[in-house]
Amino acid sequence: MGLGMASAFARAGANVVVMGRSEDKAMDAAAFLSRTAAASGTCFGVAADVRDPDQVSAAFDVAESKVGPISILANNAGGNFPALAEKISTNAWRAISRIAIDGTFIASSEFARRLKGRGAIGSIVNNSAQYIWTGFPGDAHSASAKTAVATMTRSMAREWKADGIRVNCVAAGMFPHEQAAAMGGLDQEVLDTYAGMVPAGRVGQMQEFGWASAFLCSSLAGPISGQVLMIDGGDSLRRSLISPAYVPPRERKEIWGYEA
Amino acid sequence: MSNGAQWLAGKVALLVGEGPGLKAVGEAIVAAGGQVEYGDFCDDLEGAKSVIGAHSGDQTSSIDILVHAGTRRAPVASETMSLADWRDTMKENLDSKFYYSSALANQVIGTDQRASILYLEPASAIDSTSSMASNGAMSSLTKTLATEWARDGIRVNAITSDVNYEGGLAQLQALGHLATYLCSDYAAYVTGASLGIED
């Protein structure tokens, strides 16, 4: 998902710095962008753990020394896996919630301090998910974390409105890349299943996620701030009054599935 | 768009309603290469069908996009509101939106044509019961029609913002860009969504 956003930014002419925990992976992503995204600007990678304010600040220093002042921040860091709430360990809870919630807060507040320090305007886009307004049984850690990201979006937008810092959020539905690892591969049968369960009849294309993110960060979106753009082909909406029998996650064949 | 992007080239949009927001959206659609037609509020399905049908001659003139705003009236205390005033608000802010949407869907369903519907809703309707009622109804109607017609290639979204009725220049331009994005194929996976301008 991060690469989808980064590709759209690069295609639109931005210099893109990819920040990740692994410097190698961040560099690989940057090289991929340079190769594929028809990037006119610079793309490179830098390492930081978003849970550590000092590392994030240092990464901003490195990034700004190479491309100049950063004016757009895309918060994409997050993890997810199917889990029964009563089986989520302290470590698992901390990993998912702190990467998404603390990470978004730490990176955003660092970014805002820098912008305010030099009197510059800027834009933030946060990556969230389609299940944030309904909850998601079998995903207590990420469902709560992703909703926190969406509600923080509103609060930060209000707080920094006078400073010209816009904060928006894209809540994505089924874009198979993200779910692939957790749901066991990406063969055609799995893709067809995903496509069939979404009201729109297909999964999302990564470019569509990128366009939404780039649009919100662009000057076309002028004063638009504090918004959560749901892009899910209708997946998050109720689809019937009568549903298949409810099976609790613990009794399902797969925790994120439907069948017993 | 202001940068010359022809996101809606060849598309025909029908605009219904009042307010500076709808006007800004019309200008943005034209700037994005689209063609704009206007319709009056409808009080029944037949009226909407005759407007939509008048454009259904061939592919170049049939309606691809419906943008429907309402009206905003001075708030009236519920206990003193006449039935006629109540009905006018419901007609303009709810009924007409349903009739036009249904008329467009009836033209699109079962064909290769696709359509995008966008409602412009006020955000701060709290000062008037009639607006609160129509706002709630439209919130659910947006989601319901989005799901019901998703497989027919009809997308249904809303921009819920007071900018629709009292926006400044920059806000109205952003509204136009947002509307253009939502009605364009770039937002082909966005349906049932409601967005604002400023939270």
Side-chain angles (χ1 to χ4, degrees), chain A residues 82-88 136-139 246-260:
Chain A
L84 299 175
E86 68 272 25
K87 297 279 172 69
I88 294 174
F136 176 7
D139 198 47
Y246 178 71
V247 181
R250 122 175 31 91
E251 295 167 19
R252 295 175 192 160
K253 204 154 49 182
E254 290 172 33
I255 291 176
W256 285 359
Y258 214 97
E259 296 164 353

Side-chain angles (χ1 to χ4, degrees), chain A residues 155-181:
Chain A
S155 146
M156 287 174 175
R158 277 191 207 124
E159 225 175 302
W160 296 330
K161 180 181 174 180
D163 303 298
I165 303 170
R166 300 189 297 111
V167 190
N168 291 293
C169 179
V170 180
M174 297 302 287
F175 288 70
H177 181 82
E178 195 180 38
Q179 279 89 358

Side-chain angles (χ1 to χ4, degrees), chain B residues 20-65:
Chain B
L22 189 74
K23 185 166 174 282
V25 170
E27 288 165 1
I29 289 173
V30 170
Q35 179 190 326
V36 171
E37 307 284 346
Y38 292 91
D40 295 328
F41 293 117
C42 270
D43 216 4
D44 56 31
L45 196 48
E46 294 315 310
K49 280 183 172 172
S50 71
V51 176
I52 299 274
H55 294 279
S56 65
D58 59 75
Q59 218 159 26
T60 55
S61 65
S62 62
I63 304 294
D64 307 289
I65 296 165

Side-chain angles (χ1 to χ4, degrees), chain B residues 45-123:
Chain B
L45 196 48
E46 294 315 310
K49 280 183 172 172
S50 71
V51 176
I52 299 274
H55 294 279
S56 65
D58 59 75
Q59 218 159 26
T60 55
S61 65
S62 62
I63 304 294
D64 307 289
I65 296 165
L66 168 66
V67 184
H68 202 317
T71 50
R72 195 159 71 166
R73 295 153 182 277
V76 176
S78 297
E79 69 276 18
T80 63
M81 190 171 210
S82 71
L83 180 61
D85 283 351
W86 170 267
R87 278 307 336 153
D88 280 348
T89 307
M90 287 301 132
K91 168 190 165 185
E92 293 156 5
N93 293 328
L94 171 62
D95 300 347
S96 179
K97 292 170 183 168
F98 174 72
Y99 297 138
Y100 271 109
S101 303
S102 173
L104 181 55
N106 272 287
Q107 186 173 283
V108 167
I109 290 168
T111 72
D112 292 336
Q113 201 197 332
R114 293 181 297 161
S116 182
I117 297 172
L118 180 67
Y119 303 123
L120 303 185
E121 302 295 318

Side-chain angles (χ1 to χ4, degrees), chain B residues 146-168:
Chain B
T147 323
E148 193 157 341
W149 295 334
R151 289 290 165 100
D152 301 300
I154 302 168
R155 297 187 298 109
V156 187
N157 294 293
I159 298 176
T160 304
S161 171
D162 289 332
V163 171
N164 290 323
Y165 292 102
E166 55 184 22

Side-chain angles (χ1 to χ4, degrees), chain A residues 5 9 73-75 123-127 168-170 213 216-217:
Chain A
M5 290 198 275
F9 293 138
L73 170 68
N75 285 307
S123 184
I124 298 175
V125 62
N126 296 320
N127 181 2
N168 291 293
C169 179
V170 180
S213 309
L216 288 172
C217 290

Side-chain angles (χ1 to χ4, degrees), chain A residues 196 198-199 202 220 224-225 227 233, chain B residues 150-151 174 177 181 189 196-197 199:
Chain A
V198 178
R202 67 175 176 91
L220 292 175
I224 295 173
S225 192
Q227 304 304 317
Chain B
R151 289 290 165 100
H177 294 148
Y181 166 72
Y189 206 54
I197 304 290
D199 196 50

